[in-house]
Amino acid sequence: MEMSRLIEPRTLRGFRDYLPALMIPREHMLEKCRQVYRSYGYAPIDTPALEYLEILKGKGGEESDKLIYSFRDHGDREVALRFDLTVPFARFAAQHIGKLGTPFKRYHMGPVWRGENTGHGRYREFWQCDFDTIGTESNASDIEVVLVINDLMTALGFERIEIHLNNRLVLNGLLEEMGLAGQTAAVLRALDKLCKVGKDAVAAEMAEKAGVSRGQAERVLALAEMQGGNREILDHLRREFGTNPRAAEGINRLTELLDVATSVGIGEERIRLDLSIARGLDYYTGTIYETFLLDKPDIGSVCSGGRYDNLAGVYTKQRLPGVGASLGLDRLLAAMEEMNLVPSVATPAPVVIVQFSPEYLGEYQKMGRALRAEGIRVEVYPEAKKIGQQLQYAEKRGFNVALIAGADEFAQGMWKLKNLARREETAVPAAEVPAAVRRVLGMG
Amino acid sequence: MEMSRLIEPRTLRGFRDYLPALMIPREHMLEKCRQVYRSYGYAPIDTPALEYLEILKGKGGEESDKLIYSFRDHGDREVALRFDLTVPFARFAAQHIGKLGTPFKRYHMGPVWRGENTGHGRYREFWQCDFDTIGTESNASDIEVVLVINDLMTALGFERIEIHLNNRLVLNGLLEEMGLAGQTAAVLRALDKLCKVGKDAVAAEMAEKAGVSRGQAERVLALAEMQGGNREILDHLRREFGTNPRAAEGINRLTELLDVATSVGIGEERIRLDLSIARGLDYYTGTIYETFLLDKPDIGSVCSGGRYDNLAGVYTKQRLPGVGASLGLDRLLAAMEEMNLVPSVATPAPVVIVQFSPEYLGEYQKMGRALRAEGIRVEVYPEAKKIGQQLQYAEKRGFNVALIAGADEFAQGMWKLKNLARREETAVPAAEVPAAVRRVLGMG
C-alpha cells in the first residue's frame, strides 16, 4: 500500500475514544449506577438513538433545536439523533404506558448527541444516566430521588457532596400572592442567572420581562438568597409564606423529605435547602435537585432533576406527572480525570500467566480456567517472548501478579508466583495457586 | 392542549424500544459478556457513534456502503454512523497503538446502525459485542477465542451449542497447489453460498468468476464437504494436503487448538471442524469461527470471527495482525424471545414494600435501606393505595415478596412477609426481615 493512500485516523471534533485506562472506570461507574437504580426497583429501558425529527424537535426550546443532529435517511424521512433521554422517554411513555401501567419507574443510560460549541471541555457525544418515577404525584417518589442521589454518589466514591434542594411551589406561592402567577417562567429564567450576573441584573431582567416591581423583586431575591440551616430556613419559610396554600404545600414536601432523609440516616451535611436553584427548564413544577462535589464545585451540578406535572403532553392526553434526575456520567468522569482519581490501570485482569513455551499452552489455559472458576480474572500472554519482556508488559499495563511455569516447574508441580508491586517471588504448589493469588489480591 | 396537536408517539421502522421485560435480560446478557471478556484480560474500549464518512466508507464493500447512515453535520463535514465495531477499531488501533502497545486485547460492546431491509426481523439498530487480540500471530490467541466463545455461551445459558472451526490456510494451500492462489477471494465468495444454492451452482460460479475447472471445483467441494469426527478430518487433511506448507500450517493450528480445548475440558461435542465455513469476508486469512444453537440453528451463527493478517492497513503502515469474534447480542435475544426463554419479569427488584400510610415513609425507607445493605433490591410503593391494589401491581410486575406494616405491626415491632408465588403470609420481627427475605429468595 502506498503511503499517499493512507487515511488519517482521527475522530470528529467534540468526540473522543475511550482507551482502557479510562473505559475501565467508566464501566465501573455505569455498573455502580445500574446497581443503585435497580436496588430501588427502577427498571432499565432503552430507546433508539435515531428518532423522527418531529418527535425530538421543539421540546427543549430553539437553542436546543439548533444543536440537534438531523438529516434525511434512506427513506427520505427526517430523522435525528437524540439530544437527551427525557424527550425519548416522554415518547416511550406515551406509546407504552397502557402496557406498562403506573406507577412506572425506569432508568435509562446511554449516549446523547449535541452539536455544541466544543469549548470548555464540552463533548458532542456524552452519556446520561436518567431515572424517573412517573404516574404519581406522591412525595414518596420525590423523597426517594434524594435517597438515590445519595446512594449513587456514595457508590461512585464521592463522600464529600452536597445535594441542593428547592421546591418551586414556594416561589409560585409568593408570585401568586403578589399577583404575578402568570410570570413564573420569566421570573425563573431571570433567577437562574443570579450566580452569574448578580442581584441588580436579575431584578432588571425581571422588571423588563415580567413587569416585576423593585419591591417585588426584592422579596423574590430575599427568598432566593435565604441563608441558614435547613430547619431554620423551613421555619422562616413557614412564618413568611405558610399562609399561601401553594407555598405551604411546597414547604410541607421539603419538610417531609428532610424528615425521611434524617430518619434513614443520611448525614444532614449532605443535604442543603437552597432556594436559589431554579433550573431554567420550564417543565419543573415542584421539588428541584442539584448535586455538587465539594472538592470540585466549579464543574457545576453532576446530578440534577425535579418534579414535573406532565411528561408527555405533546404525545398523549394521559397526564403523566413524575419526578426524576439525570447523572452526568461523562462530566463526572472528566472531573475525576482532572482530580487524578482515575488509576492508570489498563487491564481488567490483575493476573498474567507468562508463556514460557507454547507446548504448555494447555497447562496455562487450564490454570487460567481454575483461576477464573474462583472469580479471578487472568490473561495468558499470547507469545513465548523473553520473560523479562513479558514482565515489563505486565508492569506497564498494571497487572498485580505474574504466574510463571516452564519445564522445571511442571516437573515439580510448582508455579512461581510473582507479586509485581513488591517484586517478591514465591514458589507455590499448583493446586494452591488460586488460594495464593487470592491472598496477594486481598480477595480474602 | 387540543387533540389535533398531538404528535403520534412512534419509533422509526427497523428501530425498537426495549421495555423492562426485555431490557432486564439484555442487561444481564451484556453483563455476562463483560464478565467473560474481562476474565480473559480483554480490556474495554469505546469509540464515537459518529465518525468521518471517509473513515467508515469503502471498508465493507459497495453493498455495505449503501447501508451506511451518512449526512453533513453542522460544520458541513461528511459524517456517518458506525456500521460495525470493526472499522472503528481499525481506526482506533491505528491512532492509539503507539500508546497502547502490543499485544492489545480489547472488547467493545455497543450499537451499530445499518439502513437494512427490515424483512426477516432485521433491525436497523442492534448491539454488537466484539473481542479481539491484535499485534500477534500466535496461535495462542486463536485458541483463546474458542475458549472465550465456549465460556460466553455457557454464561449466557446456552449449553447445547456447536462451535464450527475452519482455517483458510488449508483451502489456500489447495488452491496454491492447483495454481489458483490468486483466486482465493472469488472461490470463497462462491463457497460461502454452498448451503443456500448447492454444489452445482457453486461450481458454476467458481468456473465463471475464478476460472476453476470442473475437476478443480470437485476437489475444492470435496474439501468443503469433508465429513467425520474432528480427529478423523485432521488425519485426512494431513494425508491429502499435509505436504503443502501453507495447508500444513493451517492443519497444525487446528490440531493445536483442538488439543488445548480438550486439555482444558471443553466437551468434544461442542467443537466441530467444518471446512465449509468460509465467511464471505475477504479479510480473514486463518482460523474461522461460527457458533450455532443446536435448538435454533435457523438463526445462523450467533458468534463469528476469524484471524486477519492486517487490521488497519488503510490507516497506518504498522502491520497489525489479529484474531477475534463478534457476538450478535440482539439476534441472540430475539432468538430467546422466540424460544420463550425470556421471563416476563418487569422489575429488577424482587421485593416491594407496601405503603400503608405515608406517615411511615421513614420506616419503609429504613427497611429498604437495611435490605439494600444486604444486597436485596427493594421498591417502596409510592402511594398509600388500597393494599389489594398494591399487591395486584406487585404480582403483575413479577415481584416475589411483599412486605407490609401499618400501625399494629409497628406497635408490635413486626412485619408481614408475603410470599407472592405461594400466597403465604408470615409475621416476622423487624430485625429478622432481611434474613427471612433472603430465605424466600433462595439467597442462602
Side-chain angles (χ1 to χ4, degrees):
Chain A
M1 176 160 306
E2 299 164 51
M3 198 179 154
S4 61
R5 299 197 49 200
L6 286 185
I7 297 170
E8 189 202 342
R10 66 208 192 283
T11 51
L12 288 158
R13 192 185 170 84
F15 290 78
R16 71 187 295 196
D17 287 326
Y18 281 81
L19 274 65
L22 196 56
M23 192 63 189
I24 289 170
R26 193 198 207 199
E27 279 204 338
H28 175 79
M29 292 170 78
L30 286 167
E31 182 54 25
K32 288 290 172 191
C33 292
R34 248 179 242 121
Q35 280 172 8
V36 171
Y37 295 148
R38 287 179 194 161
S39 79
Y40 283 84
Y42 294 87
I45 68 159
D46 200 11
T47 66
L50 275 182
E51 300 250 9
Y52 281 103
L53 177 61
E54 176 196 48
I55 296 281
L56 300 183
K57 210 175 160 181
K59 309 304 181 297
E62 246 177 66
E63 280 309 305
S64 299
D65 281 356
K66 278 189 209 151
L67 304 181
I68 294 179
Y69 282 95
S70 68
F71 59 98
R72 285 184 179 275
D73 75 358
H74 303 85
D76 206 32
R77 287 166 286 252
E78 282 198 291
V79 301
L81 284 165
R82 66 186 175 206
F83 168 90
D84 64 11
L85 301 179
T86 306
V87 176
F89 180 45
R91 193 268 308 146
F92 175 101
Q95 196 169 335
H96 305 295
I97 200 68
K99 187 177 176 188
L100 296 167
T102 58
F104 178 64
K105 298 167 76 168
R106 82 86 172 82
Y107 68 89
H108 188 185
M109 315 201 310
V112 302
W113 295 270
R114 298 180 185 179
E116 295 260 20
N117 206 312
T118 53
H120 306 290
R122 281 212 186 129
Y123 289 103
R124 290 176 174 163
E125 175 181 69
F126 55 93
W127 275 58
Q128 290 192 329
C129 305
D130 284 20
F131 64 102
D132 288 83
T133 303
I134 59 168
T136 177
E137 289 177 335
S138 168
N139 198 33
S141 297
D142 301 50
I143 293 169
E144 196 170 69
V145 168
V146 171
L147 307 188
V148 173
I149 294 177
N150 177 70
D151 284 8
L152 268 180
M153 300 311 293
T154 301
L156 294 173
F158 294 97
E159 287 297 339
R160 291 179 32 76
I161 61 148
E162 209 170 60
I163 304 170
H164 288 215
L165 293 175
N166 190 6
N167 193 309
R168 283 221 180 141
L169 292 174
V170 182
L171 178 65
N172 288 351
L174 171 59
L175 294 177
E176 200 176 72
E177 296 281 295
M178 300 191 300
L180 292 165
Q183 303 301 327
T184 314
V187 170
L188 281 170
R189 269 194 295 274
L191 211 47
D192 206 28
K193 297 169 194 154
L194 184 55
C195 263
K196 285 183 199 145
V197 302
K199 288 165 72 163
D200 291 341
V202 170
E205 180 174 331
M206 288 200 277
E208 187 198 340
K209 298 273 171 65
V212 176
S213 74
R214 187 72 215 180
Q216 289 171 328
E218 265 163 27
R219 284 196 74 189
V220 169
L221 285 162
L223 174 65
E225 294 197 306
M226 199 174 282
Q227 298 289 328
N230 293 336
R231 300 293 164 178
E232 212 178 322
I233 291 181
L234 284 175
D235 290 343
H236 188 89
L237 287 176
R238 207 166 278 115
R239 277 197 310 273
E240 287 267 314
F241 311 104
T243 53
N244 176 283
R246 196 175 299 268
E249 163 84 7
I251 297 163
N252 288 341
R253 282 185 162 243
L254 287 173
T255 306
E256 201 186 9
L257 195 164
L258 287 174
D259 287 347
V260 173
T262 306
S263 104
V264 304
I266 297 182
E268 285 269 347
E269 77 287 356
R270 283 194 150 204
I271 297 183
R272 195 175 124 196
L273 290 192
D274 175 357
L275 284 299
S276 76
I277 61 167
R279 299 208 61 73
L281 299 166
D282 293 351
Y283 57 81
Y284 288 128
T285 51
T287 319
I288 307 263
Y289 314 84
E290 293 196 343
T291 310
F292 298 92
L293 304 184
L294 294 179
D295 299 318
K296 193 91 184 161
D298 55 298
I299 61 167
S301 173
V302 294
C303 190
S304 315
R307 171 165 282 285
Y308 39 86
D309 269 346
N310 196 8
L311 176 69
V314 288
Y315 311 115
T316 176
K317 287 196 292 178
Q318 182 173 353
R319 201 171 74 87
L320 289 170
V323 63
S326 179
L327 182 85
L329 185 94
D330 285 329
R331 177 188 286 198
L332 207 48
L333 190 59
M336 289 169 70
E337 271 187 290
E338 284 176 34
M339 292 159 84
N340 290 317
L341 292 178
V342 176
S344 66
V345 173
T347 169
V351 180
V352 63
I353 294 178
V354 167
Q355 186 176 155
F356 199 83
S357 155
E359 71 187 286
Y360 302 119
L361 259 179
E363 294 299 323
Y364 298 141
Q365 284 293 1
K366 239 155 85 179
M367 177 57 77
R369 222 166 152 74
L371 291 167
R372 284 176 205 120
E374 301 219 10
I376 302 165
R377 298 192 283 266
V378 52
E379 170 167 334
V380 175
Y381 195 85
E383 296 180 355
K385 281 193 185 157
K386 283 186 190 150
I387 305 229
Q389 270 184 295
Q390 297 187 48
L391 292 177
Q392 222 171 12
Y393 162 92
E395 285 188 24
K396 191 183 159 204
R397 294 282 167 102
F399 286 89
N400 303 111
V401 170
L403 293 172
I404 309 168
D408 293 351
E409 285 77 14
F410 286 119
Q412 297 163 33
M414 303 291 282
W415 283 72
K416 282 190 201 150
L417 187 161
K418 201 171 167 97
N419 181 328
L420 293 165
R422 296 203 190 169
R423 295 171 183 268
E424 284 171 5
E425 195 175 278
T426 46
V428 182
E432 291 167 28
V433 168
V437 170
R438 288 181 73 88
R439 273 196 302 278
V440 174
L441 298 178
M443 290 171 77
Chain B
M1 177 160 305
E2 298 163 51
M3 198 176 154
S4 60
R5 301 197 49 198
L6 287 184
I7 296 169
E8 189 203 344
R10 66 207 192 282
T11 50
L12 289 159
R13 193 185 170 86
F15 291 78
R16 72 187 295 195
D17 288 325
Y18 282 80
L19 274 64
L22 196 56
M23 192 62 190
I24 290 170
R26 193 199 209 199
E27 279 204 338
H28 175 80
M29 291 170 78
L30 285 166
E31 181 55 26
K32 288 290 173 191
C33 292
R34 247 178 243 122
Q35 281 172 9
V36 171
Y37 295 149
R38 286 179 194 161
S39 79
Y40 283 85
Y42 294 88
I45 69 159
D46 200 10
T47 67
L50 275 181
E51 301 250 9
Y52 282 102
L53 177 60
E54 177 196 49
I55 296 281
L56 301 183
K57 212 175 160 181
K59 310 305 180 297
E62 246 176 68
E63 280 309 304
S64 300
D65 281 356
K66 277 189 210 152
L67 304 181
I68 294 180
Y69 283 95
S70 68
F71 58 98
R72 286 183 178 275
D73 75 359
H74 301 87
D76 205 33
R77 288 167 284 252
E78 281 198 292
V79 300
L81 284 165
R82 65 186 176 206
F83 168 90
D84 64 10
L85 301 179
T86 305
V87 176
F89 180 46
R91 192 268 307 148
F92 175 100
Q95 197 168 335
H96 305 295
I97 201 69
K99 187 177 177 188
L100 296 167
T102 57
F104 177 64
K105 297 167 77 166
R106 81 88 171 83
Y107 68 89
H108 188 186
M109 315 201 309
V112 302
W113 295 271
R114 297 179 185 180
E116 295 259 21
N117 206 311
T118 54
H120 306 290
R122 281 212 187 131
Y123 290 104
R124 290 175 173 163
E125 174 181 69
F126 55 92
W127 274 57
Q128 289 191 331
C129 304
D130 284 20
F131 65 101
D132 287 83
T133 302
I134 59 168
T136 176
E137 290 177 336
S138 168
N139 198 33
S141 297
D142 301 49
I143 293 169
E144 195 170 70
V145 168
V146 172
L147 307 188
V148 172
I149 294 176
N150 177 69
D151 285 8
L152 267 179
M153 300 311 292
T154 301
L156 294 174
F158 295 96
E159 288 297 339
R160 291 180 31 77
I161 62 149
E162 208 170 61
I163 304 170
H164 289 215
L165 294 174
N166 190 5
N167 193 309
R168 282 220 181 143
L169 293 174
V170 182
L171 178 65
N172 288 351
L174 171 60
L175 294 177
E176 201 175 72
E177 296 281 296
M178 300 192 301
L180 292 166
Q183 303 301 326
T184 314
V187 169
L188 281 170
R189 268 195 294 276
L191 211 48
D192 206 27
K193 297 168 193 155
L194 183 56
C195 263
K196 286 184 198 143
V197 302
K199 288 166 72 163
D200 290 341
V202 169
E205 180 174 332
M206 288 199 278
E208 186 200 339
K209 297 274 170 67
V212 176
S213 74
R214 186 73 214 178
Q216 289 171 326
E218 264 163 28
R219 284 197 73 191
V220 169
L221 284 163
L223 175 66
E225 295 197 305
M226 199 175 283
Q227 299 287 327
N230 292 335
R231 301 291 163 178
E232 212 179 321
I233 290 182
L234 284 175
D235 290 344
H236 188 89
L237 288 176
R238 205 166 278 117
R239 277 196 311 273
E240 287 267 314
F241 310 103
T243 53
N244 176 283
R246 196 176 298 270
E249 162 84 6
I251 297 162
N252 288 340
R253 282 185 162 243
L254 287 173
T255 306
E256 201 187 8
L257 197 165
L258 287 174
D259 286 348
V260 173
T262 305
S263 104
V264 305
I266 298 182
E268 285 269 348
E269 78 287 355
R270 282 195 150 203
I271 297 183
R272 195 176 123 197
L273 290 191
D274 175 357
L275 285 298
S276 76
I277 62 168
R279 300 209 60 71
L281 299 166
D282 292 352
Y283 55 82
Y284 289 128
T285 51
T287 320
I288 307 262
Y289 314 86
E290 293 196 344
T291 311
F292 298 92
L293 303 184
L294 294 180
D295 298 318
K296 193 91 185 162
D298 56 297
I299 61 167
S301 173
V302 294
C303 189
S304 315
R307 172 165 282 284
Y308 39 87
D309 268 346
N310 196 8
L311 176 70
V314 287
Y315 311 115
T316 177
K317 287 195 291 179
Q318 182 173 353
R319 200 171 74 87
L320 289 169
V323 63
S326 179
L327 182 84
L329 185 93
D330 285 328
R331 176 188 286 199
L332 207 47
L333 189 59
M336 289 170 70
E337 270 187 290
E338 283 175 36
M339 293 159 84
N340 290 316
L341 291 178
V342 176
S344 66
V345 173
T347 169
V351 181
V352 64
I353 294 178
V354 167
Q355 186 177 154
F356 199 83
S357 156
E359 71 186 287
Y360 303 118
L361 260 178
E363 293 300 323
Y364 297 141
Q365 284 293 2
K366 239 154 86 180
M367 178 57 76
R369 222 166 154 74
L371 291 166
R372 284 177 206 120
E374 300 219 11
I376 302 164
R377 298 192 283 267
V378 51
E379 169 168 335
V380 176
Y381 195 85
E383 296 181 355
K385 282 193 184 158
K386 283 185 190 151
I387 304 226
Q389 270 184 295
Q390 297 186 47
L391 292 176
Q392 223 172 12
Y393 162 93
E395 285 187 25
K396 192 184 158 204
R397 294 284 167 100
F399 286 89
N400 303 110
V401 171
L403 294 172
I404 308 168
D408 293 352
E409 285 78 15
F410 286 119
Q412 298 163 32
M414 303 291 282
W415 283 72
K416 283 189 201 151
L417 187 161
K418 201 171 168 97
N419 182 328
L420 292 165
R422 296 202 191 171
R423 295 172 182 267
E424 284 171 4
E425 195 175 281
T426 47
V428 182
E432 291 166 28
V433 168
V437 170
R438 289 181 73 89
R439 273 195 303 278
V440 174
L441 298 177
M443 289 170 78

